[in-house]
Amino acid sequence: LDGLLARLPQMTTPTLLIASDGDRAVPCAVSQRAAARLAQAEYREINGFGHLVHEEDAAVVASLILPFLHPLLFPNIPG
């Protein structure tokens, strides 16, 4: 994982990192470190879910992804 984290500053693509406080596979601290190394990262943390938050509550994840994508996909349309 350290090798990946070391290369993240090279990435310039807007990136949304979603973490969950109950994730034992990828703790929030790891996602926060990754976000800090990305030039255009947004970090969001969801409480009460585990590693598969996208399966546990897809609507919660979508509620974070859609507002992130909107200005990227529709820059001239207010969100």
Side-chain angles (χ1 to χ4, degrees), residues 18-70:
I18 300 172
S20 178
D21 65 348
D23 189 340
R24 293 185 200 151
V26 182
C28 291
V30 172
S31 297
Q32 290 168 344
R33 284 189 1 232
R37 290 190 162 110
L38 289 163
Q40 294 191 57
E42 288 188 32
Y43 174 82
R44 299 288 181 264
E45 191 170 308
I46 300 173
N47 296 319
F49 296 97
H51 184 68
L52 299 176
V53 64
H54 59 285
E55 292 181 12
E56 296 173 64
D57 196 333
V60 169
V61 175
S63 75
L64 298 174
I65 293 172
L66 293 175
F68 174 79
L69 289 177
H70 188 274

